[in-house]
Amino acid sequence: MTRDEFALAVERYADMIFRVAYSALRRREDAEDVMQDVLLKLYRADRPFDSEEHRKAWLIRVAVNESRKAARRYRRAAPLEELPETAAFDRSEDRELFLAVMALPEKYRTAVYLHYYEGYSVREVAALTGSRESTVQTRLARARELLRKALEEV
Amino acid sequence: MERERFRRTFSGLEASPQAKEALLHMIDENTNHTRRGMRRAARLAVLAAATVCLLTATALAASGSLRAAVMHLLFPRYGQGELVEIGEGHRTGSFDRTDVLNTFLERFDREGLGDGVTVRMADGFHKTVLEESEDAAAVAVETSDPALRLEVYLERVDYEDTTGLWQVTGYRIVEEGTE
């Protein structure tokens, strides 16, 4: 991979990887570390991909794995009240949704992010996270229920 | 849930420009000063070696059909049943580095390198470890054509309470004299 190709990959995927890691870790510094690790893996791997979608899926899988490792390594998460400073919100309802998602248990957050933001199907989320489809379905259903309650209370 | 609202909410979550720029600096500085110091540098050395290797200019490596045929072997997904067995301790030795490499080579050989070239010799595979660390390795494998060798790259993936599962993350067919 050339420097230019790497720079393009950073531009295209850094934020996506950061969001995957942030969904798991809830701390900017740790998520940026994971983002850097994952993109360096891409650079060092210098491997072929069938398509851009294939590369994206590979990066998400590595991001999920690296986030799990980081979660074991750091064992810490930012307090919920600090989280809004991480992202810019145009509307208060977006801030509420962000806080509600981040208040979910970690195992729900990644599935919710991949399904609702990245648009992956349940089957694809299962493949990306190394989970069973039924597990992902359950997590999404439970997450929806928790989010509905949380947003009703706001 | 409104997907559009979700997208709007999370689109404001971005990595800092500094973190992105730092990545390019690492590359520009030949990544000798990455965040995790020597361990990272050692792993990089494995893959830097790969970077300078050129894919063979022969029709062998250029063959799209070969690459397509082999691609599915490179990133095996562990079956749920296998994972359960591993988790329960019934598959000791499965997915260790040697097991994964040999499985890959067996399959690679079956797919055929073309022109009668094989990686299995009469007495098995001729492997040389080029670089290794606790969770990455590069191995060179001789082929029946002395001018060609196969280089295989492996990484260890953490999995529950096991010592990890190794997987092949890439390969190169290298023509002697092209490096």
Side-chain angles (χ1 to χ4, degrees):
Chain A
M1 176 176 268
T2 66
R3 186 193 187 280
D4 285 348
E5 288 169 341
F6 183 68
L8 187 62
V10 171
E11 183 183 330
R12 187 172 290 170
Y13 295 114
D15 290 332
M16 177 197 75
I17 297 165
F18 173 74
R19 290 184 192 116
V20 170
Y22 190 89
S23 297
L25 300 168
R26 270 189 6 193
R27 184 178 284 270
R28 171 171 282 279
E29 297 82 3
D30 298 343
E32 288 188 341
D33 282 355
V34 167
M35 179 272 289
Q36 291 178 336
D37 283 345
V38 171
L39 283 166
L40 285 172
K41 273 179 183 277
L42 175 72
Y43 180 76
R44 294 193 308 261
D46 194 25
R47 46 152 295 179
F49 292 96
D50 293 343
S51 62
E52 204 54 40
E53 198 54 40
H54 181 200
R55 177 153 73 162
K56 181 180 175 185
W58 184 87
L59 286 167
I60 290 176
R61 276 201 300 276
V62 176
V64 168
N65 288 333
E66 289 297 312
S67 299
R68 285 175 182 158
K69 286 185 197 172
R72 286 200 294 272
R73 194 162 58 236
Y74 299 134
R75 294 282 179 205
R76 59 181 181 176
L80 274 179
E81 57 270 24
E82 291 179 12
L83 297 183
E85 295 171 15
T86 302
F89 303 106
D90 291 333
R91 308 179 193 190
S92 63
E93 63 188 46
D94 295 344
R95 179 180 182 279
E96 289 159 9
L97 176 59
F98 180 77
L99 280 176
V101 172
M102 288 302 144
L104 293 172
E106 187 278 327
K107 60 186 177 184
Y108 298 161
R109 295 197 299 265
T110 302
V112 165
Y113 172 77
L114 292 174
H115 185 65
Y116 286 105
Y117 186 88
E118 294 294 342
Y120 285 109
S121 68
V122 169
R123 172 176 288 192
E124 289 166 335
V125 173
L128 289 168
T129 58
S131 309
R132 295 180 188 180
E133 278 183 59
S134 57
T135 303
V136 173
Q137 270 174 335
T138 303
R139 285 176 180 173
L140 287 173
R142 182 75 182 125
R144 278 193 294 269
E145 186 184 329
L146 290 170
L147 286 174
R148 194 174 297 117
K149 282 182 186 169
L151 294 172
E152 280 171 3
E153 288 169 5
V154 173
Chain B
M1 191 186 300
E2 301 167 59
R3 183 161 284 169
E4 187 50 41
R5 182 181 170 193
F6 202 94
R7 290 189 64 83
R8 196 176 62 229
T9 297
F10 276 77
S11 61
L13 186 61
E14 295 178 345
S16 68
Q18 293 85 353
K20 296 175 189 174
E21 286 166 16
L23 269 170
L24 297 176
H25 285 305
M26 289 178 201
I27 300 304
D28 291 340
E29 292 169 13
N30 209 17
T31 66
N32 285 328
H33 303 291
T34 52
R35 291 185 305 97
R36 291 192 199 147
M38 293 305 292
R39 183 172 166 220
R40 162 77 30 86
R43 297 187 63 187
L44 185 61
V46 173
L47 293 150
T51 306
V52 298
C53 294
L54 296 175
L55 278 175
T56 177
T58 63
L60 185 67
S63 159
S65 60
L66 169 68
R67 296 191 70 78
V70 173
M71 275 308 299
H72 75 281
L73 302 175
L74 298 185
F75 306 96
R77 286 186 185 169
Y78 308 110
Q80 192 61 38
E82 289 173 312
L83 290 176
V84 169
E85 289 183 12
I86 291 166
E88 292 174 349
H90 299 313
R91 295 285 295 271
T92 305
S94 292
F95 304 113
D96 67 14
R97 199 177 81 189
T98 303
D99 177 74
V100 168
L101 177 59
N102 285 344
T103 300
F104 173 81
L105 293 175
E106 293 281 2
R107 291 177 180 173
F108 198 96
D109 219 31
R110 278 204 299 273
E111 295 289 335
L113 280 162
D115 296 332
V117 179
T118 62
V119 290
R120 175 180 277 287
M121 307 299 190
D123 57 348
F125 300 116
H126 293 190
K127 298 173 284 190
T128 305
V129 176
L130 300 175
E131 296 281 351
E132 62 182 334
S133 66
E134 71 178 46
D135 50 10
V139 179
V141 186
E142 293 178 21
T143 74
S144 58
D145 182 341
L148 298 174
R149 75 170 186 275
L150 176 67
E151 290 188 356
V152 185
Y153 304 93
L154 301 104
E155 285 197 15
R156 188 183 65 82
V157 179
D158 288 340
Y159 180 66
E160 294 190 350
D161 297 328
T162 71
T163 55
L165 309 180
W166 282 85
Q167 65 180 17
V168 173
T169 55
Y171 77 98
R172 284 179 182 277
I173 301 163
V174 181
E175 185 176 23
E176 299 297 340
T178 60
E179 292 186 64

